[in-house]
C-alpha cells in the first residue's frame, strides 16, 4: 500500500510542476493575446477604448495590471474548477469547447494508428527476433529507415503519390464538407476515407521502432534459462515463442506503448498540418501563432494529464505484475 501511495504522491507533485510550467512558459513568449485580439478588431474597422481593453484582459486571463503571482493562483483556481478560459483564436468560444471539438478527431486518428503500428511492430518483431539471422532480419533496416524519415516529408510523398498523382484519396480535410457531422453512415465513411492517408503516415513512421525494440528483446529473451528449459522439455516451437519468449520480451514495449497512448491526445502537429486535419495538433499550432494563452494552457493541461495518467497506470500495473518493483528500499 505504501508503494501505491508513494507513486500517487509523486504524480500529484509532477502534475503541480507541469501546471506551473504550463502557466509561465506561454507568458515568456513575446506579445500577449489581448494585443492579438485588438489587432483583429482593428482590421475589421473597430475601435476599442481603454475600458473595453481592460475587460478583455480580465476575460482572457492576461491581466497585465495584476502581479504575476496573483495571476498564477487565479490560474490554479480556474484549473481546479475546470474553467479553461476563452480562446483568442476562436473568440469568443470557450477553450473547453474548442478542445472538445478537436480532441475526438485526434483520438480516433492517432489512437487507431498507434494501436495498429504497435500491433504490427510487436508481431513482426517477435517473428523476426525468433528467426534472427534469417532473411527476415534484412527487413529491419527498411523499417528503421522509415522511422528515421521526417513526418512531414513522408506525408508530402504520400500526398503527391496517392492523392495528387493517383487520386485515390482526398488532399485535405477530415470529411466531405457537404456532409453534416453526426453518427450516420455517410459522415463516418467520409471521415474514415479522409483519415486513411494521415493514419498511414503515422503507421509507417512508427512501426519500425516497435519492430526493432521487440526484435532485440526477443533475442535477449531467447538466451534466458526459462526459454532453454522449455525447449529442453520438447514443447512446441510456437508455444515456446509466444508463451515464454514473447510474453516476457513484450513487457518493456508495453510500458512504451502506454506512454505513447498518453501522447495520443497531443496529436501529430506536422501530419495534421500537411493534411489540414481538424485535430488537436492544428489547434495547438493555431494557439501558438495567436499567443492564445488559454488555448495553449488548456491543450497542454490535457496532454499533461494524459501522459501522467498513462505513466501512473504503467507503474501500478508493473507493481502488480512484478512484485519485485514494490520492494521497499
Amino acid at each position: 500500500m505504501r508503494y501505491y501511495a508513494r507513486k500517487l504522491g509523486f504524480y500529484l507533485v509532477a502534475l503541480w510542476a507541469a501546471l506551473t510550467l504550463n502557466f509561465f512558459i506561454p507568458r515568456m513568449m513575446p506579445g500577449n493575446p489581448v494585443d492579438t485580439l485588438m489587432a483583429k478588431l482593428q482590421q475589421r474597422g473597430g475601435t476599442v477604448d481603454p475600458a473595453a481593453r481592460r475587460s478583455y484582459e480580465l476575460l482572457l486571463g492576461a491581466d497585465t495590471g495584476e502581479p504575476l503571482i496573483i495571476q498564477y493562483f487565479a490560474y490554479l483556481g480556474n484549473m481546479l474548477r475546470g474553467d479553461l478560459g476563452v480562446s483568442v483564436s476562436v473568440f469568443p468560444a470557450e477553450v473547453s469547447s474548442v478542445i472538445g471539438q478537436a480532441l475526438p478527431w485526434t483520438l480516433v486518428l492517432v489512437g487507431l494508428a498507434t494501436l495498429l503500428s504497435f500491433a504490427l511492430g510487436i508481431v513482426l518483431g517477435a517473428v523476426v527476433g525468433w528467426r534472427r539471422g534469417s532473411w527476415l532480419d534484412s527487413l529491419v533496416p527498411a523499417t528503421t529507415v522509415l522511422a528515421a524519415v521526417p513526418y512531414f516529408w513522408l506525408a508530402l510523398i504520400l500526398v503527391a503519390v496517392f492523392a495528387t498523382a493517383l487520386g485515390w484519396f482526398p488532399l485535405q480535410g477530415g470529411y466531405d464538407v457537404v456532409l453534416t457531422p453526426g453518427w450516420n453512415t455517410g459522415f463516418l465513411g467520409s471521415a474514415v476515407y479522409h483519415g486513411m492517408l494521415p493514419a498511414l503516415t503515422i503507421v509507417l513512421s512508427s512501426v519500425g521502432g516497435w519492430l526493432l525494440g521487440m526484435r532485440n528483446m526477443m533475442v535477449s529473451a531467447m538466451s534466458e534459462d526459462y526459454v532453454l528449459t522449455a525447449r529442453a522439455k520438447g514443447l512446441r516451437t510456437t508455444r515456446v515463442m509466444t508463451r515464454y519468449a514473447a510474453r516476457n520480451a513484450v513487457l518493456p514495449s508495453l510500458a512504451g506503448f502506454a506512454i505513447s497512448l498518453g501522447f495520443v491526445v497531443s496529436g501529430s502537429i506536422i501530419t495534421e498540418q500537411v493534411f489540414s486535419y481538424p485535430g488537436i495538433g492544428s489547434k495547438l499550432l493555431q494557439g501558438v501563432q495567436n499567443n492564445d494563452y488559454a488555448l495553449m494552457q488548456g491543450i497542454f493541461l490535457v496532454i499533461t494529464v494524459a501522459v501522467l495518467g498513462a505513466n501512473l497506470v504503467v507503474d501500478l500495473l508493473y507493481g502488480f505484475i512484478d512484485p519485485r518493483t514494490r520492494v521497499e528500499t
Side-chain angles (χ1 to χ4, degrees):
M1 185 60 67
R2 184 183 300 176
Y3 169 83
Y4 296 111
R6 188 172 66 250
K7 286 294 182 182
L8 184 60
F10 169 80
Y11 281 104
L12 287 176
V13 173
L15 177 60
W16 168 77
L19 288 175
T20 301
L21 292 174
N22 194 14
F23 172 81
F24 285 105
I25 289 178
R27 284 163 175 78
M28 296 171 65
M29 298 173 59
N32 64 71
V34 178
D35 291 337
T36 302
L37 183 57
M38 296 301 101
K40 289 183 178 180
L41 293 175
Q42 290 175 359
Q43 289 175 357
R44 300 173 184 174
T47 57
V48 182
D49 58 29
R53 179 184 176 87
R54 175 65 176 169
S55 299
Y56 281 124
E57 288 179 348
L58 296 173
L59 177 65
L60 299 175
D63 185 7
T64 55
E66 290 285 346
L68 197 60
I69 190 67
I70 301 299
Q71 297 181 43
Y72 171 69
F73 283 110
Y75 155 78
L76 290 180
N78 291 335
M79 293 298 102
L80 290 176
R81 294 194 302 270
D83 181 8
L84 302 180
V86 178
S87 171
V88 174
S89 308
V90 205
F91 188 81
E94 294 185 353
V95 170
S96 56
S97 65
V98 176
I99 295 177
Q101 293 173 3
L103 190 57
W105 291 95
T106 293
L107 290 178
V108 173
L109 171 66
V110 185
L112 292 179
T114 302
L115 286 171
L116 182 59
S117 62
F118 174 76
L120 286 175
I122 292 302
V123 172
L124 294 176
V127 174
V128 172
W130 184 257
R131 298 180 179 180
R132 66 187 187 281
S134 66
W135 65 270
L136 291 174
D137 255 348
S138 62
L139 299 177
V140 176
T143 59
T144 53
V145 166
L146 287 176
V149 170
Y151 264 53
F152 71 90
W153 188 84
L154 182 58
L156 290 174
I157 293 296
L158 293 179
V159 168
V161 174
F162 294 103
T164 303
L166 299 177
W168 292 354
F169 299 99
L171 282 171
Q172 59 184 4
Y175 61 96
D176 194 339
V177 294
V178 301
L179 299 175
T180 301
W183 294 100
N184 55 78
T185 305
F187 172 75
L188 294 177
S190 178
V192 171
Y193 180 51
H194 281 71
M196 291 187 71
L197 269 188
L200 182 61
T201 301
I202 298 172
V203 170
L204 290 178
S205 298
S206 56
V207 69
W210 298 117
L211 189 155
L212 182 61
M214 185 62 182
R215 184 259 180 201
N216 293 338
M217 290 305 301
M218 278 290 292
V219 172
S220 176
M222 287 170 59
S223 62
E224 297 291 339
D225 292 340
Y226 55 82
V227 175
L228 298 177
T229 302
R231 281 179 161 179
K233 287 182 177 179
L235 298 179
R236 295 193 308 272
T237 301
T238 55
R239 184 178 180 184
V240 175
M241 182 181 71
T242 57
R243 295 290 299 275
Y244 291 86
R247 187 175 180 180
N248 289 276
V250 77
L251 288 177
S253 297
L254 285 177
F257 175 64
I259 296 173
S260 67
L261 284 181
F263 280 105
V264 161
V265 298
S266 65
S268 180
I269 298 177
I270 302 299
T271 303
E272 291 181 7
Q273 280 298 110
V274 171
F275 293 98
S276 298
Y277 197 79
I280 203 73
S282 298
K283 294 299 180 184
L284 177 58
L285 182 60
Q286 184 180 359
V288 172
Q289 292 172 340
N290 291 279
N291 288 326
D292 193 343
Y293 292 171
L295 183 57
M296 285 188 286
Q297 289 174 169
I299 294 176
F300 289 151
L301 175 64
V302 173
I303 296 172
T304 299
V305 171
V307 173
L308 290 178
N311 278 273
L312 177 60
V313 169
V314 169
D315 277 349
L316 296 181
L317 286 178
Y318 257 93
F320 177 78
I321 295 173
D322 190 352
R324 293 174 297 178
T325 61
R326 302 198 302 265
V327 175
E328 299 290 339
T329 57

